Amino acid sequence: MDDVPYLVDQGGRKFLLGDPITSLGRSPNCGVFMPERRASRRHAEIHWDGECCTLTDLASANGTFVNGRRVTGTHKLADGDEIAIASAVFAFHDPASTLRNLKFPLLVVDTTCGEIWVNRKPVSLSPKEQTLFDLLYQNAGRPCSKQQIAQAVWPEYQAEVYDYQIESLVKRLREKLEPDPANPVLILTIHGRGYKLSDK
């Protein structure tokens, strides 16, 4: 249970959020009980899907606040967020967030000037690497077939573009973008369908 997210109140009490739904409110039946007059009996809920937590205000009279801003609808919680309900304040902690962030790089693409940044460092691509990246980026989340890649990257070829050429180009692009090219998380192989850029 070391990777289960949790809340810590101002008194240092820890509330594990390992259940799919944890309710917060004035009712003793709530997973996070707070004897606050201005809190509703069931004031808010935190949903955990095994990966991330989302906070939902249950139409409370006095509202639920995250980092000083009132929550409307649902709010995806991030490690270190401060949740306030009436005078009760909780710090949200997600022990697995650091590990997830290390595994999944921060990719920033400036389409106006064609710059690509990974984990705040600029990446320089060759023309064919750039063409492949542009194709994958324009279709983020959708697989691009080897035929699509061949037509986009090698339009000058009248003859067949071989699989090894495409695979070699994908490998070089991964080496520039992926923290661990042997275990890619950005450019994914979709067996039998081609490659796609993750849209996370």
Side-chain angles (χ1 to χ4, degrees), residues 141-179:
R142 299 192 303 269
C144 293
S145 68
K146 288 186 175 180
Q147 183 179 0
Q148 286 176 284
I149 293 171
Q151 290 172 346
V153 178
W154 290 276
E156 71 277 13
Y157 275 34
Q158 299 301 316
E160 182 182 359
V161 175
Y162 295 101
D163 283 358
Y164 81 86
Q165 292 172 279
I166 296 171
E167 290 161 5
S168 176
L169 183 62
V170 169
K171 181 175 182 286
R172 294 201 302 273
L173 187 58
R174 280 174 170 160
E175 286 171 351
K176 292 189 175 180
L177 298 179
E178 302 276 5

PDB file of all heavy atoms in Angstrom, residues 141-179:
ATOM      1  N   GLY A 141      -2.230   9.691 -30.922  1.00  0.00           N
ATOM      2  CA  GLY A 141      -3.235   8.786 -30.397  1.00  0.00           C
ATOM      3  C   GLY A 141      -3.780   7.814 -31.421  1.00  0.00           C
ATOM      4  O   GLY A 141      -4.483   6.861 -31.067  1.00  0.00           O
ATOM      5  N   ARG A 142      -3.466   8.046 -32.727  1.00  0.00           N
ATOM      6  CA  ARG A 142      -3.943   7.159 -33.792  1.00  0.00           C
ATOM      7  C   ARG A 142      -2.746   6.527 -34.488  1.00  0.00           C
ATOM      8  O   ARG A 142      -1.770   7.225 -34.806  1.00  0.00           O
ATOM      9  CB  ARG A 142      -4.777   7.933 -34.818  1.00  0.00           C
ATOM     10  CG  ARG A 142      -6.023   8.589 -34.249  1.00  0.00           C
ATOM     11  CD  ARG A 142      -6.944   9.084 -35.368  1.00  0.00           C
ATOM     12  NE  ARG A 142      -6.272  10.004 -36.270  1.00  0.00           N
ATOM     13  CZ  ARG A 142      -6.249  11.328 -36.106  1.00  0.00           C
ATOM     14  NH1 ARG A 142      -6.832  11.867 -35.058  1.00  0.00           N
ATOM     15  NH2 ARG A 142      -5.647  12.107 -36.978  1.00  0.00           N
ATOM     16  N   PRO A 143      -2.803   5.235 -34.785  1.00  0.00           N
ATOM     17  CA  PRO A 143      -1.670   4.580 -35.448  1.00  0.00           C
ATOM     18  C   PRO A 143      -1.482   5.084 -36.873  1.00  0.00           C
ATOM     19  O   PRO A 143      -2.452   5.342 -37.591  1.00  0.00           O
ATOM     20  CB  PRO A 143      -2.062   3.100 -35.440  1.00  0.00           C
ATOM     21  CG  PRO A 143      -3.152   2.970 -34.437  1.00  0.00           C
ATOM     22  CD  PRO A 143      -3.864   4.284 -34.426  1.00  0.00           C
ATOM     23  N   CYS A 144      -0.227   5.246 -37.263  1.00  0.00           N
ATOM     24  CA  CYS A 144       0.139   5.553 -38.644  1.00  0.00           C
ATOM     25  C   CYS A 144       0.773   4.298 -39.233  1.00  0.00           C
ATOM     26  O   CYS A 144       1.718   3.746 -38.659  1.00  0.00           O
ATOM     27  CB  CYS A 144       1.137   6.713 -38.707  1.00  0.00           C
ATOM     28  SG  CYS A 144       0.456   8.299 -38.182  1.00  0.00           S
ATOM     29  N   SER A 145       0.246   3.840 -40.357  1.00  0.00           N
ATOM     30  CA  SER A 145       0.756   2.618 -40.968  1.00  0.00           C
ATOM     31  C   SER A 145       2.125   2.870 -41.587  1.00  0.00           C
ATOM     32  O   SER A 145       2.519   4.014 -41.843  1.00  0.00           O
ATOM     33  CB  SER A 145      -0.209   2.122 -42.043  1.00  0.00           C
ATOM     34  OG  SER A 145      -0.211   3.027 -43.148  1.00  0.00           O
ATOM     35  N   LYS A 146       2.838   1.776 -41.857  1.00  0.00           N
ATOM     36  CA  LYS A 146       4.145   1.912 -42.509  1.00  0.00           C
ATOM     37  C   LYS A 146       4.007   2.519 -43.894  1.00  0.00           C
ATOM     38  O   LYS A 146       4.890   3.242 -44.349  1.00  0.00           O
ATOM     39  CB  LYS A 146       4.836   0.546 -42.555  1.00  0.00           C
ATOM     40  CG  LYS A 146       5.334   0.076 -41.191  1.00  0.00           C
ATOM     41  CD  LYS A 146       6.131  -1.203 -41.285  1.00  0.00           C
ATOM     42  CE  LYS A 146       6.707  -1.572 -39.919  1.00  0.00           C
ATOM     43  NZ  LYS A 146       7.496  -2.816 -39.959  1.00  0.00           N
ATOM     44  N   GLN A 147       2.885   2.236 -44.556  1.00  0.00           N
ATOM     45  CA  GLN A 147       2.648   2.831 -45.879  1.00  0.00           C
ATOM     46  C   GLN A 147       2.490   4.348 -45.770  1.00  0.00           C
ATOM     47  O   GLN A 147       3.050   5.097 -46.575  1.00  0.00           O
ATOM     48  CB  GLN A 147       1.415   2.212 -46.527  1.00  0.00           C
ATOM     49  CG  GLN A 147       1.166   2.745 -47.944  1.00  0.00           C
ATOM     50  CD  GLN A 147      -0.055   2.107 -48.592  1.00  0.00           C
ATOM     51  OE1 GLN A 147      -0.721   1.266 -47.996  1.00  0.00           O
ATOM     52  NE2 GLN A 147      -0.353   2.518 -49.811  1.00  0.00           N
ATOM     53  N   GLN A 148       1.735   4.803 -44.769  1.00  0.00           N
ATOM     54  CA  GLN A 148       1.591   6.256 -44.553  1.00  0.00           C
ATOM     55  C   GLN A 148       2.948   6.898 -44.269  1.00  0.00           C
ATOM     56  O   GLN A 148       3.253   7.978 -44.789  1.00  0.00           O
ATOM     57  CB  GLN A 148       0.655   6.520 -43.374  1.00  0.00           C
ATOM     58  CG  GLN A 148      -0.807   6.288 -43.642  1.00  0.00           C
ATOM     59  CD  GLN A 148      -1.621   6.483 -42.376  1.00  0.00           C
ATOM     60  OE1 GLN A 148      -1.635   5.631 -41.493  1.00  0.00           O
ATOM     61  NE2 GLN A 148      -2.293   7.614 -42.273  1.00  0.00           N
ATOM     62  N   ILE A 149       3.741   6.239 -43.436  1.00  0.00           N
ATOM     63  CA  ILE A 149       5.062   6.773 -43.084  1.00  0.00           C
ATOM     64  C   ILE A 149       5.950   6.831 -44.314  1.00  0.00           C
ATOM     65  O   ILE A 149       6.619   7.843 -44.579  1.00  0.00           O
ATOM     66  CB  ILE A 149       5.705   5.920 -41.971  1.00  0.00           C
ATOM     67  CG1 ILE A 149       4.909   6.076 -40.668  1.00  0.00           C
ATOM     68  CG2 ILE A 149       7.167   6.322 -41.759  1.00  0.00           C
ATOM     69  CD1 ILE A 149       5.327   5.113 -39.572  1.00  0.00           C
ATOM     70  N   ALA A 150       5.945   5.766 -45.118  1.00  0.00           N
ATOM     71  CA  ALA A 150       6.776   5.725 -46.333  1.00  0.00           C
ATOM     72  C   ALA A 150       6.402   6.852 -47.292  1.00  0.00           C
ATOM     73  O   ALA A 150       7.276   7.537 -47.835  1.00  0.00           O
ATOM     74  CB  ALA A 150       6.623   4.369 -47.015  1.00  0.00           C
ATOM     75  N   GLN A 151       5.105   7.066 -47.473  1.00  0.00           N
ATOM     76  CA  GLN A 151       4.655   8.109 -48.405  1.00  0.00           C
ATOM     77  C   GLN A 151       5.004   9.500 -47.906  1.00  0.00           C
ATOM     78  O   GLN A 151       5.329  10.392 -48.695  1.00  0.00           O
ATOM     79  CB  GLN A 151       3.144   7.988 -48.635  1.00  0.00           C
ATOM     80  CG  GLN A 151       2.757   6.752 -49.436  1.00  0.00           C
ATOM     81  CD  GLN A 151       1.262   6.535 -49.490  1.00  0.00           C
ATOM     82  OE1 GLN A 151       0.494   7.139 -48.727  1.00  0.00           O
ATOM     83  NE2 GLN A 151       0.820   5.665 -50.388  1.00  0.00           N
ATOM     84  N   ALA A 152       4.943   9.702 -46.585  1.00  0.00           N
ATOM     85  CA  ALA A 152       5.229  11.024 -46.023  1.00  0.00           C
ATOM     86  C   ALA A 152       6.727  11.319 -45.996  1.00  0.00           C
ATOM     87  O   ALA A 152       7.153  12.433 -46.307  1.00  0.00           O
ATOM     88  CB  ALA A 152       4.648  11.129 -44.612  1.00  0.00           C
ATOM     89  N   VAL A 153       7.532  10.312 -45.626  1.00  0.00           N
ATOM     90  CA  VAL A 153       8.956  10.542 -45.390  1.00  0.00           C
ATOM     91  C   VAL A 153       9.786  10.380 -46.653  1.00  0.00           C
ATOM     92  O   VAL A 153      10.785  11.078 -46.843  1.00  0.00           O
ATOM     93  CB  VAL A 153       9.475   9.582 -44.283  1.00  0.00           C
ATOM     94  CG1 VAL A 153      10.968   9.770 -44.064  1.00  0.00           C
ATOM     95  CG2 VAL A 153       8.719   9.823 -42.977  1.00  0.00           C
ATOM     96  N   TRP A 154       9.380   9.461 -47.530  1.00  0.00           N
ATOM     97  CA  TRP A 154      10.149   9.196 -48.757  1.00  0.00           C
ATOM     98  C   TRP A 154       9.283   9.404 -50.001  1.00  0.00           C
ATOM     99  O   TRP A 154       9.101   8.483 -50.806  1.00  0.00           O
ATOM    100  CB  TRP A 154      10.695   7.770 -48.739  1.00  0.00           C
ATOM    101  CG  TRP A 154      11.786   7.535 -47.747  1.00  0.00           C
ATOM    102  CD1 TRP A 154      13.114   7.777 -47.899  1.00  0.00           C
ATOM    103  CD2 TRP A 154      11.644   6.959 -46.438  1.00  0.00           C
ATOM    104  NE1 TRP A 154      13.810   7.414 -46.770  1.00  0.00           N
ATOM    105  CE2 TRP A 154      12.940   6.901 -45.847  1.00  0.00           C
ATOM    106  CE3 TRP A 154      10.559   6.481 -45.696  1.00  0.00           C
ATOM    107  CZ2 TRP A 154      13.158   6.402 -44.577  1.00  0.00           C
ATOM    108  CZ3 TRP A 154      10.784   5.990 -44.429  1.00  0.00           C
ATOM    109  CH2 TRP A 154      12.064   5.944 -43.882  1.00  0.00           C
ATOM    110  N   PRO A 155       8.733  10.605 -50.199  1.00  0.00           N
ATOM    111  CA  PRO A 155       7.871  10.807 -51.376  1.00  0.00           C
ATOM    112  C   PRO A 155       8.636  10.680 -52.692  1.00  0.00           C
ATOM    113  O   PRO A 155       8.043  10.455 -53.745  1.00  0.00           O
ATOM    114  CB  PRO A 155       7.345  12.239 -51.175  1.00  0.00           C
ATOM    115  CG  PRO A 155       8.391  12.906 -50.343  1.00  0.00           C
ATOM    116  CD  PRO A 155       8.911  11.844 -49.429  1.00  0.00           C
ATOM    117  N   GLU A 156       9.975  10.813 -52.622  1.00  0.00           N
ATOM    118  CA  GLU A 156      10.785  10.760 -53.841  1.00  0.00           C
ATOM    119  C   GLU A 156      11.015   9.325 -54.324  1.00  0.00           C
ATOM    120  O   GLU A 156      11.482   9.114 -55.441  1.00  0.00           O
ATOM    121  CB  GLU A 156      12.152  11.436 -53.589  1.00  0.00           C
ATOM    122  CG  GLU A 156      13.111  10.661 -52.670  1.00  0.00           C
ATOM    123  CD  GLU A 156      12.875  10.879 -51.183  1.00  0.00           C
ATOM    124  OE1 GLU A 156      11.832  11.434 -50.813  1.00  0.00           O
ATOM    125  OE2 GLU A 156      13.760  10.491 -50.405  1.00  0.00           O
ATOM    126  N   TYR A 157      10.665   8.329 -53.467  1.00  0.00           N
ATOM    127  CA  TYR A 157      10.917   6.936 -53.838  1.00  0.00           C
ATOM    128  C   TYR A 157       9.775   6.421 -54.714  1.00  0.00           C
ATOM    129  O   TYR A 157       8.623   6.402 -54.280  1.00  0.00           O
ATOM    130  CB  TYR A 157      11.018   6.058 -52.582  1.00  0.00           C
ATOM    131  CG  TYR A 157      12.388   6.026 -51.945  1.00  0.00           C
ATOM    132  CD1 TYR A 157      13.210   7.155 -51.960  1.00  0.00           C
ATOM    133  CD2 TYR A 157      12.862   4.881 -51.331  1.00  0.00           C
ATOM    134  CE1 TYR A 157      14.458   7.139 -51.365  1.00  0.00           C
ATOM    135  CE2 TYR A 157      14.122   4.855 -50.734  1.00  0.00           C
ATOM    136  CZ  TYR A 157      14.909   5.986 -50.753  1.00  0.00           C
ATOM    137  OH  TYR A 157      16.145   5.968 -50.162  1.00  0.00           O
ATOM    138  N   GLN A 158      10.115   6.000 -55.915  1.00  0.00           N
ATOM    139  CA  GLN A 158       9.109   5.361 -56.767  1.00  0.00           C
ATOM    140  C   GLN A 158       9.007   3.871 -56.420  1.00  0.00           C
ATOM    141  O   GLN A 158       7.947   3.281 -56.508  1.00  0.00           O
ATOM    142  CB  GLN A 158       9.502   5.519 -58.250  1.00  0.00           C
ATOM    143  CG  GLN A 158       9.587   6.967 -58.718  1.00  0.00           C
ATOM    144  CD  GLN A 158       8.281   7.712 -58.561  1.00  0.00           C
ATOM    145  OE1 GLN A 158       7.223   7.185 -58.894  1.00  0.00           O
ATOM    146  NE2 GLN A 158       8.343   8.930 -58.044  1.00  0.00           N
ATOM    147  N   ALA A 159      10.164   3.314 -56.002  1.00  0.00           N
ATOM    148  CA  ALA A 159      10.178   1.899 -55.632  1.00  0.00           C
ATOM    149  C   ALA A 159       9.705   1.743 -54.185  1.00  0.00           C
ATOM    150  O   ALA A 159       9.389   2.713 -53.503  1.00  0.00           O
ATOM    151  CB  ALA A 159      11.585   1.336 -55.800  1.00  0.00           C
ATOM    152  N   GLU A 160       9.681   0.506 -53.713  1.00  0.00           N
ATOM    153  CA  GLU A 160       9.203   0.201 -52.363  1.00  0.00           C
ATOM    154  C   GLU A 160      10.169   0.716 -51.301  1.00  0.00           C
ATOM    155  O   GLU A 160      11.381   0.653 -51.458  1.00  0.00           O
ATOM    156  CB  GLU A 160       9.048  -1.314 -52.213  1.00  0.00           C
ATOM    157  CG  GLU A 160       8.508  -1.742 -50.861  1.00  0.00           C
ATOM    158  CD  GLU A 160       8.416  -3.253 -50.736  1.00  0.00           C
ATOM    159  OE1 GLU A 160       8.759  -3.958 -51.704  1.00  0.00           O
ATOM    160  OE2 GLU A 160       8.011  -3.711 -49.654  1.00  0.00           O
ATOM    161  N   VAL A 161       9.592   1.253 -50.219  1.00  0.00           N
ATOM    162  CA  VAL A 161      10.377   1.601 -49.034  1.00  0.00           C
ATOM    163  C   VAL A 161      10.341   0.377 -48.121  1.00  0.00           C
ATOM    164  O   VAL A 161       9.281  -0.160 -47.815  1.00  0.00           O
ATOM    165  CB  VAL A 161       9.782   2.824 -48.314  1.00  0.00           C
ATOM    166  CG1 VAL A 161      10.531   3.098 -47.014  1.00  0.00           C
ATOM    167  CG2 VAL A 161       9.817   4.055 -49.220  1.00  0.00           C
ATOM    168  N   TYR A 162      11.521  -0.065 -47.695  1.00  0.00           N
ATOM    169  CA  TYR A 162      11.603  -1.303 -46.934  1.00  0.00           C
ATOM    170  C   TYR A 162      11.324  -1.070 -45.448  1.00  0.00           C
ATOM    171  O   TYR A 162      11.570   0.011 -44.910  1.00  0.00           O
ATOM    172  CB  TYR A 162      12.978  -1.951 -47.123  1.00  0.00           C
ATOM    173  CG  TYR A 162      13.216  -2.389 -48.547  1.00  0.00           C
ATOM    174  CD1 TYR A 162      13.991  -1.618 -49.404  1.00  0.00           C
ATOM    175  CD2 TYR A 162      12.639  -3.564 -49.032  1.00  0.00           C
ATOM    176  CE1 TYR A 162      14.200  -2.008 -50.714  1.00  0.00           C
ATOM    177  CE2 TYR A 162      12.844  -3.964 -50.341  1.00  0.00           C
ATOM    178  CZ  TYR A 162      13.617  -3.186 -51.180  1.00  0.00           C
ATOM    179  OH  TYR A 162      13.812  -3.568 -52.480  1.00  0.00           O
ATOM    180  N   ASP A 163      10.829  -2.131 -44.795  1.00  0.00           N
ATOM    181  CA  ASP A 163      10.512  -2.053 -43.372  1.00  0.00           C
ATOM    182  C   ASP A 163      11.717  -1.615 -42.548  1.00  0.00           C
ATOM    183  O   ASP A 163      11.585  -0.830 -41.604  1.00  0.00           O
ATOM    184  CB  ASP A 163      10.004  -3.405 -42.856  1.00  0.00           C
ATOM    185  CG  ASP A 163       8.553  -3.670 -43.250  1.00  0.00           C
ATOM    186  OD1 ASP A 163       7.937  -2.796 -43.888  1.00  0.00           O
ATOM    187  OD2 ASP A 163       8.031  -4.758 -42.910  1.00  0.00           O
ATOM    188  N   TYR A 164      12.905  -2.119 -42.908  1.00  0.00           N
ATOM    189  CA  TYR A 164      14.083  -1.809 -42.105  1.00  0.00           C
ATOM    190  C   TYR A 164      14.396  -0.315 -42.133  1.00  0.00           C
ATOM    191  O   TYR A 164      14.922   0.230 -41.162  1.00  0.00           O
ATOM    192  CB  TYR A 164      15.292  -2.646 -42.551  1.00  0.00           C
ATOM    193  CG  TYR A 164      16.018  -2.121 -43.763  1.00  0.00           C
ATOM    194  CD1 TYR A 164      17.017  -1.149 -43.633  1.00  0.00           C
ATOM    195  CD2 TYR A 164      15.712  -2.594 -45.035  1.00  0.00           C
ATOM    196  CE1 TYR A 164      17.679  -0.659 -44.751  1.00  0.00           C
ATOM    197  CE2 TYR A 164      16.359  -2.106 -46.145  1.00  0.00           C
ATOM    198  CZ  TYR A 164      17.351  -1.141 -46.003  1.00  0.00           C
ATOM    199  OH  TYR A 164      17.993  -0.649 -47.110  1.00  0.00           O
ATOM    200  N   GLN A 165      14.059   0.359 -43.245  1.00  0.00           N
ATOM    201  CA  GLN A 165      14.290   1.809 -43.319  1.00  0.00           C
ATOM    202  C   GLN A 165      13.375   2.547 -42.337  1.00  0.00           C
ATOM    203  O   GLN A 165      13.810   3.481 -41.650  1.00  0.00           O
ATOM    204  CB  GLN A 165      14.029   2.309 -44.749  1.00  0.00           C
ATOM    205  CG  GLN A 165      15.024   1.818 -45.778  1.00  0.00           C
ATOM    206  CD  GLN A 165      14.604   2.192 -47.185  1.00  0.00           C
ATOM    207  OE1 GLN A 165      13.766   1.527 -47.787  1.00  0.00           O
ATOM    208  NE2 GLN A 165      15.175   3.264 -47.709  1.00  0.00           N
ATOM    209  N   ILE A 166      12.116   2.135 -42.292  1.00  0.00           N
ATOM    210  CA  ILE A 166      11.157   2.765 -41.382  1.00  0.00           C
ATOM    211  C   ILE A 166      11.541   2.469 -39.936  1.00  0.00           C
ATOM    212  O   ILE A 166      11.560   3.364 -39.083  1.00  0.00           O
ATOM    213  CB  ILE A 166       9.730   2.271 -41.684  1.00  0.00           C
ATOM    214  CG1 ILE A 166       9.319   2.713 -43.091  1.00  0.00           C
ATOM    215  CG2 ILE A 166       8.739   2.786 -40.632  1.00  0.00           C
ATOM    216  CD1 ILE A 166       8.023   2.101 -43.585  1.00  0.00           C
ATOM    217  N   GLU A 167      11.866   1.198 -39.663  1.00  0.00           N
ATOM    218  CA  GLU A 167      12.221   0.806 -38.299  1.00  0.00           C
ATOM    219  C   GLU A 167      13.477   1.521 -37.815  1.00  0.00           C
ATOM    220  O   GLU A 167      13.574   1.918 -36.650  1.00  0.00           O
ATOM    221  CB  GLU A 167      12.405  -0.714 -38.238  1.00  0.00           C
ATOM    222  CG  GLU A 167      11.084  -1.471 -38.397  1.00  0.00           C
ATOM    223  CD  GLU A 167      11.273  -2.918 -38.804  1.00  0.00           C
ATOM    224  OE1 GLU A 167      12.448  -3.368 -38.877  1.00  0.00           O
ATOM    225  OE2 GLU A 167      10.262  -3.606 -39.067  1.00  0.00           O
ATOM    226  N   SER A 168      14.437   1.712 -38.723  1.00  0.00           N
ATOM    227  CA  SER A 168      15.669   2.425 -38.375  1.00  0.00           C
ATOM    228  C   SER A 168      15.382   3.888 -38.056  1.00  0.00           C
ATOM    229  O   SER A 168      15.935   4.464 -37.104  1.00  0.00           O
ATOM    230  CB  SER A 168      16.672   2.319 -39.520  1.00  0.00           C
ATOM    231  OG  SER A 168      17.834   3.065 -39.243  1.00  0.00           O
ATOM    232  N   LEU A 169      14.484   4.501 -38.836  1.00  0.00           N
ATOM    233  CA  LEU A 169      14.132   5.905 -38.603  1.00  0.00           C
ATOM    234  C   LEU A 169      13.384   6.054 -37.278  1.00  0.00           C
ATOM    235  O   LEU A 169      13.650   6.988 -36.505  1.00  0.00           O
ATOM    236  CB  LEU A 169      13.278   6.429 -39.764  1.00  0.00           C
ATOM    237  CG  LEU A 169      12.892   7.907 -39.696  1.00  0.00           C
ATOM    238  CD1 LEU A 169      14.124   8.807 -39.736  1.00  0.00           C
ATOM    239  CD2 LEU A 169      11.934   8.261 -40.836  1.00  0.00           C
ATOM    240  N   VAL A 170      12.459   5.145 -36.992  1.00  0.00           N
ATOM    241  CA  VAL A 170      11.730   5.173 -35.715  1.00  0.00           C
ATOM    242  C   VAL A 170      12.712   5.020 -34.559  1.00  0.00           C
ATOM    243  O   VAL A 170      12.619   5.722 -33.541  1.00  0.00           O
ATOM    244  CB  VAL A 170      10.649   4.069 -35.672  1.00  0.00           C
ATOM    245  CG1 VAL A 170      10.081   3.925 -34.267  1.00  0.00           C
ATOM    246  CG2 VAL A 170       9.535   4.371 -36.670  1.00  0.00           C
ATOM    247  N   LYS A 171      13.674   4.114 -34.721  1.00  0.00           N
ATOM    248  CA  LYS A 171      14.675   3.887 -33.680  1.00  0.00           C
ATOM    249  C   LYS A 171      15.475   5.162 -33.408  1.00  0.00           C
ATOM    250  O   LYS A 171      15.704   5.535 -32.251  1.00  0.00           O
ATOM    251  CB  LYS A 171      15.610   2.752 -34.103  1.00  0.00           C
ATOM    252  CG  LYS A 171      16.690   2.390 -33.088  1.00  0.00           C
ATOM    253  CD  LYS A 171      17.468   1.157 -33.566  1.00  0.00           C
ATOM    254  CE  LYS A 171      18.529   0.751 -32.548  1.00  0.00           C
ATOM    255  NZ  LYS A 171      19.681   1.657 -32.552  1.00  0.00           N
ATOM    256  N   ARG A 172      15.888   5.864 -34.466  1.00  0.00           N
ATOM    257  CA  ARG A 172      16.674   7.102 -34.289  1.00  0.00           C
ATOM    258  C   ARG A 172      15.835   8.184 -33.615  1.00  0.00           C
ATOM    259  O   ARG A 172      16.333   8.934 -32.773  1.00  0.00           O
ATOM    260  CB  ARG A 172      17.199   7.595 -35.639  1.00  0.00           C
ATOM    261  CG  ARG A 172      18.213   6.669 -36.279  1.00  0.00           C
ATOM    262  CD  ARG A 172      19.068   7.386 -37.321  1.00  0.00           C
ATOM    263  NE  ARG A 172      18.282   7.991 -38.375  1.00  0.00           N
ATOM    264  CZ  ARG A 172      17.889   7.359 -39.482  1.00  0.00           C
ATOM    265  NH1 ARG A 172      18.199   6.068 -39.654  1.00  0.00           N
ATOM    266  NH2 ARG A 172      17.186   7.975 -40.410  1.00  0.00           N
ATOM    267  N   LEU A 173      14.557   8.260 -33.983  1.00  0.00           N
ATOM    268  CA  LEU A 173      13.675   9.259 -33.377  1.00  0.00           C
ATOM    269  C   LEU A 173      13.466   8.955 -31.897  1.00  0.00           C
ATOM    270  O   LEU A 173      13.490   9.861 -31.055  1.00  0.00           O
ATOM    271  CB  LEU A 173      12.336   9.295 -34.116  1.00  0.00           C
ATOM    272  CG  LEU A 173      11.356  10.409 -33.717  1.00  0.00           C
ATOM    273  CD1 LEU A 173      11.974  11.790 -33.912  1.00  0.00           C
ATOM    274  CD2 LEU A 173      10.065  10.295 -34.527  1.00  0.00           C
ATOM    275  N   ARG A 174      13.289   7.686 -31.569  1.00  0.00           N
ATOM    276  CA  ARG A 174      13.137   7.303 -30.163  1.00  0.00           C
ATOM    277  C   ARG A 174      14.382   7.661 -29.356  1.00  0.00           C
ATOM    278  O   ARG A 174      14.292   8.085 -28.208  1.00  0.00           O
ATOM    279  CB  ARG A 174      12.850   5.804 -30.059  1.00  0.00           C
ATOM    280  CG  ARG A 174      11.408   5.426 -30.342  1.00  0.00           C
ATOM    281  CD  ARG A 174      11.222   3.929 -30.361  1.00  0.00           C
ATOM    282  NE  ARG A 174       9.804   3.570 -30.404  1.00  0.00           N
ATOM    283  CZ  ARG A 174       9.354   2.388 -30.801  1.00  0.00           C
ATOM    284  NH1 ARG A 174      10.218   1.451 -31.192  1.00  0.00           N
ATOM    285  NH2 ARG A 174       8.066   2.138 -30.808  1.00  0.00           N
ATOM    286  N   GLU A 175      15.550   7.463 -29.959  1.00  0.00           N
ATOM    287  CA  GLU A 175      16.801   7.761 -29.246  1.00  0.00           C
ATOM    288  C   GLU A 175      16.911   9.241 -28.888  1.00  0.00           C
ATOM    289  O   GLU A 175      17.585   9.611 -27.931  1.00  0.00           O
ATOM    290  CB  GLU A 175      17.992   7.323 -30.092  1.00  0.00           C
ATOM    291  CG  GLU A 175      18.163   5.804 -30.116  1.00  0.00           C
ATOM    292  CD  GLU A 175      19.200   5.342 -31.130  1.00  0.00           C
ATOM    293  OE1 GLU A 175      19.667   6.195 -31.939  1.00  0.00           O
ATOM    294  OE2 GLU A 175      19.555   4.148 -31.114  1.00  0.00           O
ATOM    295  N   LYS A 176      16.227  10.099 -29.653  1.00  0.00           N
ATOM    296  CA  LYS A 176      16.275  11.535 -29.374  1.00  0.00           C
ATOM    297  C   LYS A 176      15.153  11.998 -28.440  1.00  0.00           C
ATOM    298  O   LYS A 176      15.292  13.028 -27.780  1.00  0.00           O
ATOM    299  CB  LYS A 176      16.219  12.320 -30.684  1.00  0.00           C
ATOM    300  CG  LYS A 176      17.465  12.138 -31.540  1.00  0.00           C
ATOM    301  CD  LYS A 176      17.482  13.074 -32.724  1.00  0.00           C
ATOM    302  CE  LYS A 176      18.795  12.954 -33.490  1.00  0.00           C
ATOM    303  NZ  LYS A 176      18.847  13.870 -34.660  1.00  0.00           N
ATOM    304  N   LEU A 177      14.059  11.228 -28.387  1.00  0.00           N
ATOM    305  CA  LEU A 177      12.892  11.684 -27.619  1.00  0.00           C
ATOM    306  C   LEU A 177      12.652  10.907 -26.329  1.00  0.00           C
ATOM    307  O   LEU A 177      12.123  11.467 -25.365  1.00  0.00           O
ATOM    308  CB  LEU A 177      11.620  11.590 -28.485  1.00  0.00           C
ATOM    309  CG  LEU A 177      11.557  12.436 -29.750  1.00  0.00           C
ATOM    310  CD1 LEU A 177      10.238  12.185 -30.471  1.00  0.00           C
ATOM    311  CD2 LEU A 177      11.708  13.915 -29.443  1.00  0.00           C
ATOM    312  N   GLU A 178      12.988   9.633 -26.308  1.00  0.00           N
ATOM    313  CA  GLU A 178      12.628   8.770 -25.189  1.00  0.00           C
ATOM    314  C   GLU A 178      13.718   8.762 -24.112  1.00  0.00           C
ATOM    315  O   GLU A 178      14.900   8.635 -24.438  1.00  0.00           O
ATOM    316  CB  GLU A 178      12.432   7.330 -25.675  1.00  0.00           C
ATOM    317  CG  GLU A 178      11.374   7.165 -26.756  1.00  0.00           C
ATOM    318  CD  GLU A 178       9.973   7.044 -26.202  1.00  0.00           C
ATOM    319  OE1 GLU A 178       9.799   7.185 -24.980  1.00  0.00           O
ATOM    320  OE2 GLU A 178       9.051   6.808 -27.005  1.00  0.00           O
ATOM    321  N   PRO A 179      13.339   8.860 -22.827  1.00  0.00           N
ATOM    322  CA  PRO A 179      14.324   8.707 -21.750  1.00  0.00           C
ATOM    323  C   PRO A 179      14.975   7.326 -21.782  1.00  0.00           C
ATOM    324  O   PRO A 179      16.150   7.174 -21.500  1.00  0.00           O
ATOM    325  CB  PRO A 179      13.495   8.902 -20.473  1.00  0.00           C
ATOM    326  CG  PRO A 179      12.288   9.662 -20.918  1.00  0.00           C
ATOM    327  CD  PRO A 179      12.017   9.228 -22.315  1.00  0.00           C
TER     328      PRO A 179
END
